[in-house]
Amino acid sequence: MPVVTSILVVEDDDAIRIAVQRGLRERGHAVAVAPGGLAGLEHVLREKPDVVLLDLGLPDVDGLTLIPMIRAASDVPIIVITAQDDDPTMVKALDSGADDYVVKPFGTEQVAARIRAVLRRHGRDATAPAPVLRVGELTVDERTRVATLRGEPLELARKEFDVLHLLASRAGEVVSKRELLAEVWQQAYGGSDRTVDVHLSWLRRKLGESAAEPRYLVSVRGVGVRLVDPTDGA
Ligand code: CA
């Protein structure tokens, strides 16, 4: 199972907080939220998250004030969220203990990359780095939960990634739908093949192929599916 990163998002703007939470959850992170600074500080002390995303403009305590308060108690990496590219504020934030920052509006991909970078610097994701799986032009990195095709990251939902990872870890082998249900959905019995079929079809679309003209995902009728390297001669 992949190492789950726990992330706290301290942000009073509902829309941003919800979007960030959803985006990071889809990437397999455990995400908690706090709409204000004090609630955020309390969470840091109690739950000890791996990373904090901290909005600077908060209704109760200014983010800049909060950074040293967090620092006094914890060395958790802090990524500041700011409304504008305001150099003096950023310098102050970094000087008072923030590790990095993102400027609104930002995409989840960017935040996820910043999180990976601060964790790398903090050496927190150094535990048991799983090798990156490669099948043809496809790579699947369990540690970062990022899959790429020809170097381009694929936008995969959590279960889609899990399915792809399982198939890649057993590339060339036929994996039955039962096994996928058991491993990915933890439903050894009673799960529906239809669930697997639907996820496989989404995955195919994202890989730019179809069941009729498969490249990577080859269905074996009545048995299951296997991931193959389409560049492998055959
Ligand atoms: Ca705000």
Side-chain angles (χ1 to χ4, degrees), residues 119-176:
L119 286 175
R120 222 163 25 236
R121 289 202 293 273
H122 279 245
R124 292 195 185 206
D125 63 348
T127 50
V132 176
L133 302 171
R134 280 170 211 284
V135 182
E137 294 172 307
L138 184 69
T139 72
V140 182
D141 187 338
E142 182 181 20
R143 197 169 42 91
T144 58
R145 295 186 63 83
V146 172
T148 66
L149 182 61
R150 284 176 224 103
E152 292 294 318
L154 296 167
E155 287 279 337
L156 301 179
R158 186 173 188 161
K159 294 294 187 198
E160 292 166 6
F161 180 88
D162 291 342
V163 168
L164 188 61
H165 179 261
L166 178 63
L167 294 175
S169 69
R170 294 171 55 181
E173 258 181 67
V174 180
V175 179
S176 72

Side-chain angles (χ1 to χ4, degrees), residues 8 14 39 60 104 108 112 116 136 191 195 229:
L8 171 66
D14 291 342
D60 52 353
K104 295 177 194 175
T108 312
R116 286 197 296 275
T195 306
D229 177 359

Side-chain angles (χ1 to χ4, degrees), residues 11-12 55 57 104:
E11 165 67 78
D12 61 315
D55 179 32
K104 295 177 194 175

